[in-house]
Structure formats: structure tokens, C-alpha cells
Amino acid sequence: MTAGAVGGGGLVGGRSFDPESAAWVRDLSPGSPKFQDACRRLYGLLVKIARREARRRSSILGLAGPEFDDVAHQAAADALVRITRKIGEFRGDAQFKTWAYKFVMREVAVKVGRHAWRDPRVSLGGDGTRLAPASVCDEPLDQVQASELRAALVHAIENALTERQRNIFVGVAIDHIPPDTLAVELETNRNAIYKSVFDARRKIRAYLVANELIW
């Protein structure tokens, strides 16, 4: 989409949107003279949403200080890139801000999920499976066992799953991407996402059982 494809008022490429959404799309379209200014304004809004979402999750993961700010700003920046790349795909099913905010919430989920994945504690979750050991203690032996377990878990994810199962499992269980968001990206539905996660956990559990790493 080019700037010339966007008309005045609420028309965008021949489609009718609410005036505010049409203005955002017009200003964020390639070639728009207001592109840079629109990006700055949108970035400010995305940072606010990223902070709110990160704060909602911070009580669980202990995000605070510079790390909290870094997650919020990185999520906003990455969301802005994705939004500007996909601006031509905006269909107006919702207001532009609602559509845009989904991108930043996804990025926060991804970054917070990766933060959790770097945490020494490992859990498949959701099905009562317990990993041995369940956490890293101060004893060197526990640290070695946890390290070996994490390596086995990564190996199982990389080798026991199909590519699609791996993408879905990592997205939901590790990056904490909302199933509905992942379903839209993969052009499927929530039930299919849940089934893929269930099947992936079953395969991972079988691998860990075979290697005597869970009980």
C-alpha cells in the first residue's frame, strides 16, 4: 500500500474505516510525509501498553528496574516494526489501536516468556508432571542435575517434535504467546493449538521418562 492509495476521511484503499484508524493507516503507509511522526506517536502509546502488560506479569517473574524498562521498550520497538510492515493488512475489523496493541502484548509475552525460560526452574506445567529436580538449589550436584535436565528438555523439544509442534509448544509454553494470537498467526484455531501443545507435552514426557529424568 502506498500513501496515494489512502484517501481522505475514513476511506483506506477503497475501504471504510473509522476516521482515527484511517488517519493512522494513512500516516503509517510507505511514502507518507507523516510516517516518522506517526511512528514516534505510536511508539509512545505502545510503550505505555507494554509497561502495563509487563507490570501485570512482573509479580510472577520478579521483573523490576532496568530489566522491566528494557522489556517494555524492546517490546514496543519490535511491535512498531511489525505494525509498520503489516499496515497494509489492517482490515478494520477493530479500531487501529486495538489491532496495534495486540502486537505489543504479543511481544511482551514473548520477552517475558524468554525471561522465564532463562530462569533455572524447569516445568512442563499443566499436566502435573514433575521434573527431577524441580528447582535449582545451592548444592553443586543439584545445579548439575538441573543443567542436565534442561539440556534434555531442549533436546526433546528439538528432536521429538515436528516443526509445527515445536513452533506451537515454544510459542505457548515458553514464550507465553496467547493461544488465540498464535492461532491467528498460524491460520488455525484455538482447539488445534491446544491439541498440538498436548501432543507435544506427551512426546516430551515420553522422552524424559525414557531417559529417567522425571518421576
Side-chain angles (χ1 to χ4, degrees):
M1 180 186 295
T2 64
V6 183
L11 291 178
V12 180
R15 293 171 294 171
S16 179
F17 301 120
D18 65 276
E20 183 181 6
S21 295
W24 276 111
V25 175
R26 178 172 61 248
D27 294 345
L28 289 168
S29 293
S32 169
K34 297 183 179 180
F35 180 80
Q36 293 298 329
D37 178 65
C39 285
R40 284 192 292 269
R41 289 187 290 115
L42 182 57
Y43 179 77
L45 295 174
L46 295 176
V47 168
K48 291 180 180 179
I49 297 300
R51 285 180 179 276
R52 185 179 68 188
E53 183 66 9
R55 188 173 295 110
R56 185 178 69 83
R57 298 169 179 268
S58 63
S59 60
I60 299 175
L61 298 174
L63 288 173
E67 189 174 27
F68 175 89
D69 288 335
D70 188 53
V71 166
H73 283 279
Q74 282 190 25
D78 290 347
L80 180 62
V81 171
R82 289 171 60 84
I83 290 167
T84 54
R85 286 178 178 173
K86 293 179 174 288
I87 193 65
E89 299 177 16
F90 175 66
R91 297 181 300 178
D93 295 335
Q95 290 187 334
F96 172 80
K97 286 183 180 179
T98 301
W99 178 77
Y101 288 168
K102 291 180 180 179
F103 286 89
V104 74
M105 293 178 71
R106 177 193 186 280
E107 292 298 334
V108 171
V110 167
K111 288 165 176 57
V112 169
R114 288 172 182 168
H115 172 86
W117 181 236
R118 290 196 299 269
D119 190 282
R121 292 167 296 181
V122 179
S123 174
L124 293 183
D127 57 7
T129 298
R130 297 183 64 181
L131 304 184
S135 62
V136 177
C137 300
D138 292 332
E139 295 297 327
L141 178 59
D142 288 329
Q143 294 178 8
V144 171
Q145 289 176 329
S147 178
E148 291 177 348
L149 176 58
R150 290 174 64 79
L153 181 57
V154 170
H155 189 274
I157 291 172
E158 293 179 346
N159 294 280
L161 307 181
T162 66
E163 181 178 0
R164 184 174 180 82
Q165 286 175 333
R166 183 166 56 253
N167 290 338
I168 292 175
F169 180 79
V170 170
V172 173
I174 297 176
D175 290 342
H176 297 287
I177 299 173
D180 289 337
T181 300
L182 199 59
V184 171
E185 291 189 3
L186 297 179
E187 298 182 346
T188 184
N189 56 65
R190 177 189 288 189
N191 289 338
I193 294 294
Y194 284 138
K195 184 179 187 305
S196 291
V197 172
F198 176 83
D199 291 342
R201 281 179 170 152
R202 179 171 50 81
K203 287 184 176 181
I204 292 171
R205 185 166 58 249
Y207 177 91
L208 296 177
V209 167
N211 287 275
E212 299 181 350
L213 289 167
I214 64 174
W215 54 276

